[in-house]
């Protein structure tokens, strides 16, 4: 469902999803990847352009958003880029962003893009690459 690439030199995690995303897969990703202390404080890029099927509920998005916000690094805010290709993915990404921002511990800055190059450039702004 997803492939992970950890770019230590850029302090970021890239997750490429496809062909399906589900509530359970999102929660598994959040808990398995972001519980690793080696990536604490890293920026994140999720690439949803390879999705053919979205099986995500509002309740599932809210649960993942709250779990994610609770794991945010409190010292220095990081960035989170979401790359999408259609309006459904955009709507779900905005909903996730809203749920995350409602959590008191949320420190990540989130942006949604439809081009990978723009997302990477935005992430590079923070780390000076």
């Amino acid at each position: 469902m997803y492939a992970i690439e950890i770019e230590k030199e850029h302090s970021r995690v890239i997750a490429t999803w496809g062909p399906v995303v589900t509530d359970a897969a999102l929660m598994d990703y959040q808990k398995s990847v972001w519980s690793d202390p080696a990536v604490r404080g890293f920026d994140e890029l999720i690439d949803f352009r390879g999705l053919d099927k979205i099986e995500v509920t509002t309740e599932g998005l809210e649960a993942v958003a709250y779990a994610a916000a609770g794991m945010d690094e409190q010292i220095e805010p990081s960035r989170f880029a979401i790359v999408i290709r259609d309006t459904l993915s955009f709507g779900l990404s905005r909903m996730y962003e809203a749920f995350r921002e409602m959590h008191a511990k949320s420190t990540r800055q989130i942006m949604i893009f439809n081009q990978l190059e723009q997302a990477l450039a935005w992430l590079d702004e923070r780390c000076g690459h």
Side-chain angles (χ1 to χ4, degrees):
M1 292 223 192
Y2 61 86
I4 300 295
E5 180 181 350
I6 297 174
E7 295 183 343
K8 290 183 181 178
E9 69 278 7
H10 293 288
S11 298
R12 72 176 153 225
V13 173
I14 297 176
T16 305
W17 285 77
V20 179
V21 63
T22 65
D23 291 339
L26 283 173
M27 188 61 84
D28 175 69
Y29 162 78
Q30 184 60 44
K31 288 182 176 178
S32 65
V33 174
W34 293 100
S35 62
D36 181 353
V39 299
R40 186 77 48 167
F42 277 26
D43 288 333
E44 178 177 13
L45 185 145
I46 289 189
D47 186 350
F48 282 138
R49 294 173 303 157
L51 291 180
D52 295 325
K53 196 170 188 182
I54 299 173
E55 298 177 352
V56 176
T57 65
T58 302
E59 296 79 13
L61 271 182
E62 184 175 20
V64 171
Y66 275 54
M71 298 171 92
D72 280 359
E73 182 65 43
Q74 298 301 307
I75 298 167
E76 183 180 344
S78 59
R79 287 185 167 188
F80 179 17
I82 303 171
V83 184
I84 50 94
R85 71 169 188 209
D86 57 36
T87 51
L88 176 59
S89 296
F90 179 79
L92 291 171
S93 297
R94 290 285 294 141
M95 189 181 308
Y96 174 83
E97 179 182 15
F99 283 138
R100 220 174 185 296
E101 288 176 351
M102 288 190 289
H103 193 288
K105 290 187 175 184
S106 181
T107 61
R108 280 199 157 179
Q109 187 179 8
I110 301 172
M111 291 285 288
I112 302 166
F113 301 88
N114 54 21
Q115 293 184 359
L116 180 62
E117 298 76 22
Q118 290 175 335
L120 289 169
W122 180 71
L123 290 175
D124 285 344
E125 286 175 8
R126 185 175 91 91
C127 62
H129 290 102

